[in-house]
Amino acid sequence: MLKKLVLVMLLFQTILSSAQVKTAKNINYAGTTAKKNTLNIFYKADGVADKPVLIFIHGGSWSSGRKETYWWLGRNFARKGIVTVIINYPLAPDAQYGKMADDCALAVKWVKENISGYQASANKLFVMGHSAGAHLAELINSDPIYFQHAGIKNPIKGVILNDPFGLDIHEYLTEAEKDDYYYDFLRTFTNQPAVWKKASPMEYVNDIKNPHLLFYGSKTYGAIKIQTPRLYEKLKANKISVQIKEVKGKSHVPMISQMIFGGNDLYKDIVTFINHQS
């Protein structure tokens, strides 16, 4: 009987907590009517102002994925006191990496200029990405050209990379097996090695000034297991605040899908990182 009562109380608490999370959907951040340039905002209507903000860029090999898939990420972070923005961006083959990065920077600009209306602080912006989304998150953070195009200074206080793919896309496309994935990626990065270098966040590591939190799975792709620790070592050598965590037993997709559960350990690490930097 006691066990049933506890379960009912926990269920009620979960429902109540979820009910406090509000969602603003399909806001266009680029002054167009295109769904590829929309974002969703998740925030807790609790009267607490100036909350930190997390902008999430989804993965999907630069050619798939959509913001609606990650509603649970927005809900879970909002319940933990972090206003969360999940964005769409244009995908291959209709766009290449430069256009994707430009639009991600525009999304950050929109958040900077408008997020105070959602009980959040425009001065506490963090960016997180998984897989290809992590590549784009680090690219707009490290290569100054994208925020220059957007007409603002880089406003990102900290970066969270979850199993980032393509930190050195030049290395990957130079050395990888020429399989279906390889040719799919060429739609995003062309077949020109000089472009691959421009598209690699690792090329701009000396321009990175903000704190980083890095995750990668012990069973993920080899390129990720090589390049994520390499980024860590380069940032550490440059005296940039950086933390890294290898998540045991996780392959690439489970590195993000595990976060469906609000009690997942990655939330504790990320919330601690954000609160420490805010």
Side-chain angles (χ1 to χ4, degrees), residues 7-44:
L7 287 173
V8 169
M9 290 175 65
L10 286 172
L11 179 61
F12 178 75
Q13 185 179 28
T14 300
I15 293 171
L16 183 64
S17 184
S18 296
Q20 291 178 324
V21 174
K22 293 189 176 294
T23 309
K25 294 183 177 180
N26 297 320
I27 299 171
N28 193 285
Y29 59 77
T32 71
T33 58
K35 189 170 183 180
K36 64 187 177 184
N37 292 131
T38 57
L39 55 81
N40 292 345
I41 305 171
F42 298 79
Y43 62 105
K44 199 170 182 180

Side-chain angles (χ1 to χ4, degrees), residues 61 131 163-165 172 181 185 216-228 250-253:
S61 300
S131 190
D163 227 43
F165 194 91
Y172 178 82
Y181 285 110
F185 295 160
Y216 69 99
S218 68
K219 294 184 177 181
T220 193
Y221 299 118
I224 294 174
K225 291 198 283 187
I226 292 169
Q227 294 178 5
T228 309
K250 295 297 182 185
S251 56
H252 188 57
V253 172

